[in-house]
Amino acid sequence: MTQGRKRVVALISGRGSNMEALLRVARLPGCPYEIVGVVSNVPGAKGLEMAARAGVATAVVNHRSFETREAFEEVLHETLLVFAADIVACAGFMRIMTEGFVGRWEGRMLNIHPSLLPLFRGLHTHRRALKAGVKVHGATVHFVTPELDGGPIIIQGAVPVLPDDDEGALAARVLQVEHRIYPAALWQVAAGKCRLEEGRVKTSDWPVAERARLFCPDVDILPRQD
Ligand code: GAR
């Protein structure tokens, strides 16, 4: 029974593993959201196939077909309206959005970013984290505001940076945590327990212990004693 569930549209540009994680959780009993559509700005994005196989409606709004960012966003916005989206979940959506578009979805658009914001906004976050020599890295789910990767933070997940890590190994470890925190954040927003109010994230009835369990994946770093 889907009545009363928030209608979520996921925006993707590529692989779609976060979208898949959102979909997996959407099937759990009591989940307050459903994924009603997946929209990609890249034709042939791998995530589109996965969504279609899962029986989710897909659409492509190719940014290259438009002369301006605004023209692209106008059609993207209309597409979201066709899906009757309540919430927009950017899941590896690699487009910078204008203030006008973001304003239309204020408090209803989430993004996941592969770093512990405000560290490492933008691209190549894992490479930059390794270069900076940080010992803890991770991912952030935040409400989208016009400032790139600068919106109010809903939840973060952290992973250790290990001595032998290369970009791929670190990215894979962070991705595990992304797949945990994004569905959890979307769940809370869809349930109305996490909101954007006057530029700040307000949560109610989201137990700290539950959030804390999501912060770190179960990574074995220390040699076992037994
Ligand atoms: C994810 O790591 C996501 O955090 C990142 O792109 C990847 C998409 O993977 N997003 C950004 O960098 C946004 N600034 P996915 O398509 O498998 O979810």
Side-chain angles (χ1 to χ4, degrees), residues 36-166:
V36 295
V38 172
V39 181
S40 172
N41 66 309
V42 177
K46 205 165 159 253
L48 287 170
E49 282 169 41
M50 207 286 298
R53 271 201 308 274
V56 178
T58 62
V60 173
V61 184
N62 184 350
H63 64 280
R64 291 180 196 275
S65 309
F66 300 89
E67 286 196 355
T68 63
R69 207 173 278 281
E70 287 78 7
F72 160 68
E73 288 176 344
E74 196 55 45
V75 174
L76 182 60
H77 181 70
E78 281 165 19
T79 307
L80 294 171
L81 295 183
V82 168
F83 280 118
D86 297 311
I87 299 172
V88 179
C90 301
F93 184 61
M94 306 307 275
R95 295 304 297 163
I96 291 176
M97 294 174 267
T98 66
E99 197 169 341
F101 178 74
V102 170
R104 286 163 141 180
W105 293 95
E106 193 185 333
R108 298 184 295 151
M109 182 154 57
L110 277 59
N111 182 43
I112 184 145
H113 182 75
S115 79
L116 293 173
L117 290 171
L119 285 176
F120 311 123
R121 293 177 184 188
L123 298 174
H124 310 302
T125 56
H126 310 306
R127 194 184 307 167
R128 288 157 63 208
L130 287 171
K131 190 155 180 245
V134 296
K135 299 297 176 236
V136 178
H137 185 44
T140 304
V141 180
H142 62 93
F143 283 109
V144 177
T145 60
E147 191 187 349
L148 180 68
D149 300 327
I153 292 171
I154 298 169
I155 193 168
Q156 294 182 301
V159 301
V161 180
L162 303 183
D164 293 333
D165 273 347
D166 59 14

Side-chain angles (χ1 to χ4, degrees), residues 6-42:
K6 287 283 189 286
R7 299 174 61 83
V8 174
V9 172
L11 300 184
I12 65 166
S13 299
R15 177 178 57 185
S17 73
N18 274 289
M19 175 266 293
E20 192 174 7
L22 297 179
L23 254 175
R24 213 167 21 241
V25 170
R27 296 192 191 105
L28 297 178
C31 184
Y33 71 82
E34 60 181 322
I35 306 287
V36 295
V38 172
V39 181
S40 172
N41 66 309
V42 177

